[in-house]
Amino acid sequence: MGFSSGLDAILSEAEPLARHTWFKVGGPARWFARPRTPADVSELVRRCRDHRLDHLVLGLGANLLVDDEGVDAVVTRLDAPHFTTVMFGDERSGDEVLVSAGAGADMAKFAWSTVKRGLRGLEVLAGIPGTVGGIIRMNAGGRFGCVADTVRDVSVIMPDGRLHTLTPAQVGFAYRHTGLTGAVVCGATFRLRRDDPARVQADYREIWSYKTQSQPLKYHSAGCVFKNPAGDSAGRLIDRAGLKGARQGGAYVSDHHANFIIADDGASAADVMALIGRIRREVHERFGTLLEMEVQVWGRCRPPEAEQAA
Ligand code: EPU
């Protein structure tokens, strides 16, 4: 059986990915899938395994750089209703409330819907863009906390097509990292605490305002490019290396926050990658720190230093 046989309802070819990413650069996906149910996802991952095709899941594209040549892979987007539904548990009893969300749900909207109800936990994610699945996969967060702090369990489909529910320990949460390589996140349950709605909303607004003041949110970027090295800030090191405003083609280091790269209209993934390579080299020369990438890279482009360090 061919890879796509019988999957016409959920598969298309050569989908341009630039329109799906915040950088707005990059080429097409060989296959683009929009499964309707977990059974569709199981079928897809089994076929990818049988046909030796890479399988990648696209969230909101907020933390993603796609090669100009595109990706020779199956790219899945979980935007069907099954994957975007949010369910609130019983809010009348006890202080703790369980809330579940599909992996394709927009985390920013979901987090705000919990904050509005006076549920504490996800307000720390204010201003962090992504789907629930994407946020979990990389354990997104900021100086106020990360998503792992509230996760109760995560449902995933493994490369053999089977659905599992994982505890946080099984997910392997670490700083901007999980052990979920190869697994497709389908949804998660969060353990939130009931609090005074006005207080939770005020905290959310304060975190949101810190982010808008310190980061260039209105430009085409993918958030922080590098992870923070232990005990330091990548943005501070890049800034101290004098790289704010450094430019490569249509890509430049933000003057507002140095861990952000902005892509102008007409910029390419190669421009962004070349700038990433330069930042890593200069920060390493100056401070002896080899910055590790936070942004996910799809396709063949890699900064040369990243290959050496891998
Ligand atoms: N700093 C500079 N120059 C800069 C940027 C920062 O000197 O250009 C200094 C700041 O003055 C501050 C320190 O570096 O003293 C830390 O900066 P900031 O508070 O902005 O936090 P960060 O460590 O750079 C982290 C997350 C962000 C998150 C913020 C706020 C990482 C890699 N970054 O940034 O997450 O929004 O805290 O919670 O963990 C992201 O992951 O995409 C992201 C943007």
Side-chain angles (χ1 to χ4, degrees), residues 92-246:
R92 285 163 303 177
S93 58
D95 265 357
E96 192 177 281
V97 177
L98 297 182
V99 188
S100 357
D106 183 326
M107 180 55 105
K109 290 183 185 152
F110 169 49
W112 176 242
S113 73
T114 62
V115 165
K116 260 195 328 198
R117 288 172 152 86
L119 300 178
R120 183 171 286 287
L122 294 175
E123 74 285 356
V124 299
L125 300 179
I128 297 184
T131 57
V132 166
I135 296 269
I136 286 184
R137 185 92 203 278
M138 64 166 297
N139 190 15
R143 61 160 53 196
F144 306 96
C146 60
V147 73
D149 301 340
T150 49
V151 168
R152 179 186 182 248
D153 57 55
V154 179
S155 63
V156 296
I157 290 178
M158 303 306 273
D160 64 1
R162 279 193 291 193
L163 184 68
H164 293 265
T165 301
L166 306 179
T167 62
Q170 290 169 322
V171 170
F173 284 114
Y175 169 65
R176 301 294 177 273
H177 179 80
T178 61
L180 291 174
T181 319
V184 178
V185 177
C186 284
T189 306
F190 300 86
R191 205 192 291 271
L192 305 178
R193 264 183 308 112
R194 196 190 314 283
D195 201 338
D196 171 18
R199 211 157 48 199
V200 190
Q201 286 168 29
D203 290 347
Y204 179 95
R205 289 204 177 87
E206 198 177 315
I207 295 170
W208 169 257
S209 138
Y210 177 80
K211 209 169 150 72
T212 50
Q213 278 163 33
S214 61
Q215 299 176 8
L217 299 185
K218 58 178 191 277
Y219 297 96
H220 294 171
S221 84
C224 286
V225 173
F226 300 101
K227 297 182 185 185
N228 283 338
D232 209 335
S233 154
R236 196 183 66 84
L237 291 178
I238 301 165
D239 191 351
R240 282 185 57 208
L243 286 164
K244 272 186 170 172

